[in-house]
């Protein structure tokens, strides 16, 4: 069979999204359909804006400087060698005529949209931060879902320490002592909204890093910093259970971290924080981790959606009412067959397992065999709270402190794709055991052209 004829007659599997579900589904299809892919009978295409998959559980450690940021991402082209990788954005999903509208990276301004035909479609676009119409949130809030946000947050926190230190250094400041003190207090105030995994782990790791960094700032004590967690419900870390959640709450409070339960963020205009309990104060840092929602692309087409904007999926990980269209992960409402009436939680544990079942069901469809339902046994949850600090509830075994922290690292290291990345992460941790972590802000990396504009006389210093 010629390459051209093979390409024309091949079964085309298009995967929208290269995150947990997208990458792991494609990886399993590579293994299960090795001969078909080699002979050109099947083509697997993965559409993803980035050239890598981010392993999100390691983002807090990357933000704290325990891990090199490049080591917490897996390069998609290296992992999916037998797949076709298209970098760009899907703008519309048309299941009626089995086509996906795709805008290649770099062609956004030109409006260069392409149509991609498919025989089997996997919608694994994932999620984005679920924001609320709170005044000032969009202007000064920082999310925590991508490696870029983790790097930015690390640079930002260290920059706040630089600002606070410079305001109180001998011979510095504006000359207005009261104004300098207010600015210093603002710089050293860090607010996190949302006490789930992302919020608690980010807060724990960054507070630990900032406390360690104070050793290099003679005029800043750890007690000068204010760390505040704002949570709208009456508990934190619901994933680890009530008992371990209470222990985590007490452990964070012993570190001087303020945990405000049953409290909402009302406003953040000009970085002036207003809470529902009536407290108001200025904060130089506002991190938003209050939940996620399905990626907006799932609403750009004719997919059936729930009232929460997720794709209506079946227990076999197909889209309800559609033929040869599949969905899993954060953008799908997948029934939990182990608990009648419930849906699977949007977390990495489900996403990786769903990807395996989804790929196997696609293979079953290709070979005319029956599909199977996604059914899971709950393993438990682990969370890191800083260096040598953690909490875990795994198979009913409850751990805290160093054992939980060690389990957290071990578990997620085992789930990190590719041996290359496992070795690099292990090397990072090994070096960290002998050397202090770097306390350097590379904020200029976010605006690299400014220095050249200054040299060219296009902008003024400051």
């Amino acid at each position: 069979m010629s390459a051209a004829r093979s390409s024309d007659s091949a079964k085309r599997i298009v995967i929208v999204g290269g995150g947990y579900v997208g990458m792991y589904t494609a990886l399993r299809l590579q293994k299960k359909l090795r001969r078909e892919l080699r002979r050109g009978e099947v083509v697997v295409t993965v559409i993803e804006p980035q050239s890598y998959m981010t392993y999100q559980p390691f983002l807090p450690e990357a933000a704290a400087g325990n891990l090199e940021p490049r080591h917490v991402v897996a390069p998609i082209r290296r992992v999916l060698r037998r797949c076709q990788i298209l970098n760009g954005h899907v703008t519309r999903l048309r299941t009626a005529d089995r086509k996906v509208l795709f805008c290649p990276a770099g062609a956004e301004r030109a409006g260069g949209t392409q149509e991609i035909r498919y025989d089997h479609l996997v919608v694994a676009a994932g999620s984005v931060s679920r924001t609320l119409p709170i005044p000032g949130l969009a202007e000064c809030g920082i999310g925590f879902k991508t490696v870029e946000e983790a790097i930015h947050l690390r640079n930002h926190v260290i920059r706040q320490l630089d600002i606070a230190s410079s305001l109180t250094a001998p011979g510095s400041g504006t000359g207005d002592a009261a104004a300098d003190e207010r600015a210093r207090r603002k710089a050293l105030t860090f607010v996190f909204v949302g006490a789930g995994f992302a919020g608690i782990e980010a807060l724990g790791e960054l507070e630990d890093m900032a406390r360690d960094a104070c050793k290099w700032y003679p005029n800043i004590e750890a007690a000068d910093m204010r760390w505040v967690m704002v949570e709208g419900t009456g508990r934190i870390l619901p994933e680890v259970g009530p008992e371990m959640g209470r222990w985590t709450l007490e452990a964070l409070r012993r570190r001087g971290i303020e945990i405000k339960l049953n409290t909402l963020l009302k406003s953040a205009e000009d970085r002036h924080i207003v809470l529902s309990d009536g407290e108001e104060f200025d904060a130089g840092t506002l991190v938003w981790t209050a939940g996620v929602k399905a990626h907006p692309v799932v609403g750009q087409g004719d997919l059936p959606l729930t009232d929460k904007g997720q794709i209506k999926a079946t227990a076999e990980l197909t889209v309800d009412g559609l033929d040869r269209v599949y969905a899993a992960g954060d953008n799908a409402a997948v029934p939990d067959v182990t608990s009648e009436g419930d849906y699977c939680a949007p977390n990495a544990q489900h996403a990786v397992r769903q990807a395996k079942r989804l790929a196997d069901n696609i293979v079953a469809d290709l070979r005319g065999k029956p599909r199977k339902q996604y059914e899971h046994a709950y393993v438990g949850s682990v969370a890191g709270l800083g260096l040598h600090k953690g909490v875990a509830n795994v198979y009913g075994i409850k751990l805290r402190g160093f054992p939980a922290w060690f389990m957290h690292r071990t578990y997620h290291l085992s789930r990190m794709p590719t041996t290359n990345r496992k070795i690099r992460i292990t090397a990072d941790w090994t070096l960290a055991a002998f050397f202090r972590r770097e306390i350097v802000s590379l904020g200029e990396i976010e605006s690299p052209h400014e220095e050249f504009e200054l040299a060219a006389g296009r902008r003024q210093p400051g």
Side-chain angles (χ1 to χ4, degrees):
M1 184 181 293
S2 69
R5 289 178 60 192
S6 172
S7 177
D8 291 341
S9 61
K11 293 290 185 181
R12 297 185 176 275
I13 303 172
V14 174
I15 301 175
V16 178
Y20 289 120
V21 174
M23 195 190 80
Y24 281 106
T25 297
L27 189 61
R28 190 161 180 86
L29 288 173
Q30 272 192 168
K31 178 180 178 181
K32 292 284 187 175
L33 301 174
R34 183 180 295 109
R35 286 176 297 179
E36 290 88 341
L37 288 168
R38 186 170 57 247
R39 293 196 296 252
E41 297 170 0
V42 173
V43 176
V44 177
T45 300
V46 179
I47 303 176
E48 164 62 33
Q50 307 295 340
S51 60
Y52 52 82
M53 187 277 283
T54 301
Y55 192 74
Q56 292 183 354
F58 279 146
L59 287 184
E61 291 215 50
N66 301 331
L67 291 177
E68 163 63 41
R70 287 175 298 177
H71 297 169
V72 305
V73 300
I76 294 177
R77 294 179 187 277
R78 180 182 295 177
V79 176
L80 305 177
R81 296 182 180 181
R82 297 184 181 90
C83 298
Q84 179 186 46
I85 308 300
L86 298 180
N87 291 123
H89 297 270
V90 170
T91 60
R92 196 165 192 83
L93 301 168
R94 298 195 325 223
T95 62
D97 58 357
R98 297 189 178 279
K99 289 182 179 177
V100 170
L101 298 188
F102 165 68
C103 182
E108 293 87 354
R109 293 184 179 180
T113 303
Q114 303 175 5
E115 289 186 348
I116 300 176
R117 179 183 64 81
Y118 70 83
D119 296 292
H120 299 262
L121 174 66
V122 177
V123 186
S127 60
V128 297
S129 295
R130 177 175 58 84
T131 59
L132 298 173
I134 298 172
L137 175 61
E139 291 73 25
C140 63
I142 303 171
F144 201 74
K145 276 188 61 63
T146 68
V147 68
E148 292 84 3
E149 288 174 327
I151 296 170
H152 171 73
L153 186 55
R154 169 181 168 78
N155 290 333
H156 177 82
V157 169
I158 297 175
R159 180 62 175 165
Q160 297 306 298
L161 297 180
D162 291 339
I163 291 171
S165 178
S166 299
L167 284 169
T168 54
S172 66
T174 64
D176 185 335
D180 288 346
E181 179 57 29
R182 286 195 299 272
R184 182 179 189 270
R185 196 160 52 243
K186 176 180 178 180
L188 295 178
T189 300
F190 307 90
V191 178
F192 289 68
V193 182
F197 266 124
I200 290 296
E201 289 192 314
L203 171 64
E205 290 285 357
L206 285 164
E207 189 274 343
D208 194 60
M209 179 203 73
R211 182 183 293 271
D212 191 42
C214 286
K215 299 171 185 176
W216 309 108
Y217 295 89
N219 52 351
I220 298 179
E221 300 289 337
D224 296 337
M225 297 185 292
R226 184 184 183 190
W227 296 81
V228 183
M229 168 58 73
V230 178
E231 169 55 41
T233 67
R235 58 189 292 194
I236 69 172
L237 279 185
E239 299 89 347
V240 299
E243 180 184 345
M244 301 310 288
R246 286 192 296 271
W247 181 88
T248 304
L249 175 67
E250 294 167 2
L252 293 175
R253 282 177 170 167
R254 284 195 298 270
R255 287 162 61 175
I257 298 171
E258 300 176 38
I259 310 291
K260 291 180 172 289
L261 301 179
N262 299 307
T263 305
L264 302 175
L265 175 67
K266 305 298 289 185
S267 175
E269 289 185 290
D270 297 324
R271 299 191 182 275
H272 181 70
I273 306 299
V274 180
L275 303 179
S276 61
D277 63 2
E279 187 174 8
E280 299 184 24
F281 54 89
D282 290 335
T285 304
L286 174 62
V287 183
W288 182 266
T289 58
V292 297
K293 62 182 179 181
H295 195 287
V297 73
V298 303
Q300 302 300 313
D302 51 5
L303 296 174
L305 304 180
T306 68
D307 55 359
K308 293 183 178 180
Q310 292 177 296
I311 301 169
K312 293 181 180 179
T314 69
E316 295 177 345
L317 304 177
T318 60
V319 175
D320 191 22
L322 296 178
D323 182 37
R324 290 181 285 177
V325 182
Y326 313 80
D330 291 359
N331 65 192
V334 178
D336 186 347
V337 298
T338 65
S339 179
E340 188 175 352
D342 290 338
Y343 293 93
C344 296
N347 58 38
Q349 187 178 136
H350 279 300
V352 173
R353 294 179 174 191
Q354 287 172 2
K356 179 179 178 181
R357 171 51 51 207
L358 195 160
D360 288 350
N361 282 347
I362 292 176
V363 174
D365 283 346
L366 287 170
R367 296 176 178 171
K369 296 181 179 180
R371 294 188 293 260
K372 294 181 180 180
Q373 292 186 337
Y374 170 68
E375 186 174 352
H376 73 284
Y378 181 67
V379 175
S381 300
V382 291
L385 306 175
L387 199 58
H388 304 152
K389 308 173 188 73
V391 60
N393 186 350
V394 180
Y395 292 119
I397 301 173
K398 299 171 183 177
L399 301 173
R400 55 194 184 189
F402 183 86
W405 170 83
F406 183 79
M407 179 176 286
H408 172 267
R409 281 194 164 184
T410 304
Y411 172 78
H412 286 301
L413 181 65
S414 70
R415 294 295 182 268
M416 185 69 194
T418 79
T419 302
N420 178 294
R421 286 301 185 264
K422 286 182 172 69
I423 293 173
R424 289 179 184 274
I425 288 172
T426 302
D428 285 346
W429 286 339
T430 302
L431 289 172
F434 297 98
F435 302 99
R436 291 184 182 273
R437 51 187 160 195
E438 293 291 339
I439 307 298
V440 177
S441 170
L442 296 177
E444 290 77 8
I445 202 171
E446 297 161 28
S447 50
H449 200 59
E450 287 188 359
E451 186 68 21
F452 194 76
E453 288 178 341
L454 177 63
R458 298 288 299 274
R459 62 184 297 269
Q460 296 298 316

